[in-house]
Amino acid sequence: MRFRSILMATVGLSALFASSAMAQDAATVAFLMPDQASTRYEEHDYPGFKAEMEKLCASCTVIYQNANADTALQQQQFNSVIAQGAKVIVLDPVDSSAAAALVEIAHSQDVKVIAYDRPIPDKAADFYVSFDNEGIGYAIAKSLVDHLKASGAAEGSGVLQINGSPTDAAAGLIRDGIHRGLKDSGFKTLAEFDTPEWAPPKAQEWAAGQITRFGADIKGVVAANDGTGGGAIAAFKAGGVDPVPPVTGNDATIAALQLIISGDQYNTISKPSEIVAAAAAKVATTLLKGETPEPKSTLYNTPSELFVPAVVTSENIKAEIFDKKIQTPEEVCTGEYAEGCKKLGITQ
């Protein structure tokens, strides 16, 4: 009888483990992104995440939703994917503070949360995957400072600073990095702006006002991403400023690469979102197995992996973007940008 009990217990445990393995293999994972102001989420982040998930867990179901900069909509989406059985949620929050409550909801239902791109300072997620946002801010500001000095800009010259959304903790990190890059640079910040929802039209409207206010005293603009940088460039062009002062960016969007090729934007940050998306997929499948992902660092009491990006200017755009096949000449060197691509050696 004792042997029979042990045998039955062994069979039961085997069935339990098999059932658990099947649940992991057929698990549902949600990928919730914050807005559509940037094209990166549909063009890079989600495709990169989905492709890596298909490699790591072919039978897993991936739910993708975008909140279109609406905090209430993101909460509805978050609750919806839990109701649909998601065991891991990759969350890039619209509002980093409000996302703390979402993490609490998930943890109360034994659902894991991976903070993605934007951290959640007020409540520790299970993991955080991103590029080093503070490092991005420092890098674009330092690059601009070095360029202004090399171009002979006078000590005490003025710059504008355009930050990202005030509800985005990652934007706050980029802002802090910009402050560090400008500190002790010899250049003064004429004015600074937090761009609601990262919206380029709002950055453009603000920049237009500063052009009227400061005019030729503006020697450069540190913009936190390509959208806000593009808004600033549009404001200069609409105001008849030629040449446009050097403007920074971040994300290496096709539009920004074209502006660098034409000479209207000074720099951007190459951070192929597929890298972070693939890392998030690896963390998700590790969590599904009941294992603990290995962190490379810690941010806001959350185990983290932060990737280091590259600054791109006209001097290295060929090597960083085209030689690495992040974008192709066919996608970027179109129409009016064809001649600029030839001058930079991108095309023959």
Side-chain angles (χ1 to χ4, degrees):
M1 287 291 291
R2 185 168 178 271
F3 174 76
R4 185 166 180 269
S5 297
I6 293 172
L7 179 63
M8 289 180 66
T10 302
V11 170
L13 283 171
S14 298
L16 178 64
F17 288 138
S19 174
S20 176
M22 287 175 64
Q24 291 161 12
D25 288 343
T28 297
V29 176
F31 193 71
L32 305 185
M33 296 295 102
D35 61 64
Q36 295 176 348
S38 173
T39 57
R40 54 171 282 196
Y41 302 113
E42 273 71 32
E43 292 180 359
H44 299 288
D45 295 80
Y46 173 54
F49 182 78
K50 185 178 180 183
E52 191 67 19
M53 283 298 300
E54 287 173 352
K55 292 180 190 174
L56 298 172
C57 184
S59 59
C60 283
T61 299
V62 176
I63 302 172
Y64 171 65
Q65 294 187 359
N66 189 304
N68 199 22
D70 187 329
T71 303
L73 176 59
Q74 187 165 70
Q75 182 169 352
Q76 294 172 13
Q77 293 172 342
F78 195 90
N79 292 332
S80 173
V81 297
I82 291 177
Q84 294 176 65
K87 295 302 179 186
V88 176
I89 299 174
V90 180
L91 176 65
D92 193 339
V94 174
D95 185 322
S96 296
S97 296
L102 301 182
V103 176
E104 287 190 12
I105 291 170
H107 286 173
S108 72
Q109 300 186 50
D110 198 29
V111 175
K112 304 293 186 183
V113 178
I114 301 169
Y116 182 87
D117 192 43
R118 305 175 180 180
I120 304 172
D122 299 331
K123 179 70 177 179
D126 296 280
F127 209 87
Y128 174 51
V129 180
S130 178
F131 281 95
D132 180 356
N133 288 299
E134 198 273 345
I136 286 171
Y138 176 77
I140 58 177
K142 181 66 165 54
S143 171
L144 179 68
V145 165
D146 291 346
H147 175 66
L148 290 175
K149 288 180 177 179
S151 302
E155 183 91 4
S157 293
V159 298
L160 299 178
Q161 179 173 338
I162 306 179
N163 304 317
S165 171
T167 64
D168 175 359
L173 292 171
I174 294 171
R175 177 202 62 215
D176 293 346
I178 292 172
H179 286 163
R180 182 162 65 90
L182 293 177
K183 185 181 180 182
D184 302 324
S185 68
F187 301 106
K188 66 179 180 180
T189 302
L190 298 171
E192 182 175 346
F193 179 63
D194 293 336
T195 309
E197 301 169 0
W198 289 93
K202 294 178 181 178
Q204 180 176 346
E205 181 182 0
W206 179 81
Q210 306 316 303
I211 293 166
T212 300
R213 181 181 175 192
F214 296 109
D217 290 340
I218 303 170
K219 301 303 182 185
V221 179
V222 189
N225 79 340
D226 290 336
T228 55
I233 291 167
F236 282 112
K237 286 182 170 292
V241 178
D242 185 23
V244 173
V247 177
T248 73
N250 161 34
D251 285 337
T253 63
I254 289 176
L257 297 174
Q258 290 174 331
L259 287 172
I260 289 173
I261 289 165
S262 68
D264 290 318
Q265 182 166 325
Y266 175 63
N267 72 20
T268 187
I269 289 286
S270 175
K271 50 175 193 179
S273 299
E274 292 87 350
I275 294 174
V276 180
K282 291 183 176 75
V283 172
T285 52
T286 300
L287 291 171
L288 286 174
K289 295 173 186 174
E291 300 172 359
T292 302
E294 183 179 345
K296 303 290 172 41
S297 60
T298 300
L299 188 67
Y300 296 119
N301 297 316
T302 303
S304 306
E305 184 171 9
L306 304 178
F307 294 86
V308 179
V311 178
V312 176
T313 68
S314 61
E315 294 179 358
N316 68 347
I317 190 171
K318 179 180 182 296
E320 286 292 339
I321 300 297
F322 297 98
D323 292 352
K324 293 182 179 180
K325 302 189 185 306
I326 293 170
Q327 296 289 356
T328 66
E330 290 74 20
E331 292 172 303
V332 178
C333 300
T334 57
E336 63 186 288
Y337 305 104
E339 189 59 34
C341 284
K342 288 181 182 178
K343 288 181 180 178
L344 294 174
I346 297 167
T347 56
Q348 299 299 316

